[in-house]
Amino acid sequence: MKTRIYQIDRYDPDIEKLQIAAKAIRDGELVAFPTETVYGLGANALDPEAVRRIFLAKGRPSDNPLIAHVASVKEVAGIAVMNDLAKLLAERFWPGPLTLVLTAESIVPPEITAGLPTVAVRMPANKVARELITLSGVPIAGPSANRSGRPSPTNAASVYEDLGDSVSIILDTGPTEVGVESTVVDVTGDSVVILRPGGLPVEEIEKVAGTVQYPEGEKISRRSPGTRYRHYAPLIPLVLLRHDSDPNDLLGSYESSKIGYIGIREPSFDVGEKILFSDVTSYARGLFTSMRSLEKTQIEIIIAEFPDATGLGLALRDRLRRAAGEGSTKKIP
Ligand code: TXA
Ligand code: MG
């Protein structure tokens, strides 16, 4: 069936279109929806058959669990346990780019949790996403709406490019604001464990919840299965330009007209295409779109500036390392 793409005002959504999308969710279909981070591929989180369709459409390994999206803190009660730490963070940062890994209630199907005793929950800041959840009357399971391994989609065209007609409806509210996925934290213990740096800077979390922990090596891939896979990769190679790297070592034998550059600082070498950002916030917002646009040009390799590890720089470093195919069990900061 041909995908319907509905353009919707994110601040003043057309409720009739959202009702059609909510019915599709209840009928077990896939609906791509906007969040402030990236577009999600939504299905009824309590319907195992619908959730299985997400994995099929994305080509996602079934041992990688999904986030359940809710429209209010109250709705979490049906699917997971909120301890005091979880309540504190939800109170301060929801709706927003923070995903809480919580102890799951038994109603949550193993298709969502990949058999783990926990479930990841998040309340997105985009009003269209929250209205969709409310009208559907169920939590919505939603990974990023890209083919597994590809850069996440920050606009509706990228969703359609990757998933084509396997999605019934795409709700299009234009480009997303944050551009990288949510920060995923495990809060089942006494302190916050960062499983995936993302759109909410770790420094913000530390202001509220004290020093955070980072799982290391083997442990991280066991606790957050998604971190095990190569991810976010464009179709052409991407290499990292660290502050101390010698560009000549990276450029190899590529002609300068075939080299694409993304980063904040002007490159010190000749390139065929460059995409410059004014700061880490706009670098994060534009990262995935630049990868997707450069791979459609004559460019054969992307040189990406590796930013400092502060603020959104931490999430950028994580996504860039994976896009470059570097080991996923490295220490996060
Ligand atoms: O911003 C976002 O988080 C977007 C939007 C659509 O909400 N979603 C997203 O979903 O990025 P996805 O599936 O691409 O990434 C979810 C991450 C994966 O790394 C997954 O392994 C981890 O969250 N995760 C999910 N459930 C988990 C659990 N129970 N325990 C540990 N990690 C979990
Ligand atoms: Mg993803």
Side-chain angles (χ1 to χ4, degrees), residues 38 58 60 64 143-146 148-150 152-153 181 196 231-232:
V38 302
K58 277 186 62 99
R60 179 173 172 118
N64 191 3
S144 48
N146 50 283
S148 201
R150 296 271 297 144
S152 295
E181 304 82 347
R196 176 180 74 180
H231 255 142
Y232 317 117

Side-chain angles (χ1 to χ4, degrees), residues 37 60 64-65 67 69 118 122 143-144 181-182 196 223-224 226:
T37 58
R60 179 173 172 118
N64 191 3
I67 297 172
H69 295 76
T118 51
R122 144 165 145 85
S144 48
E181 304 82 347
S182 62
R196 176 180 74 180
R223 293 183 68 163
S224 189

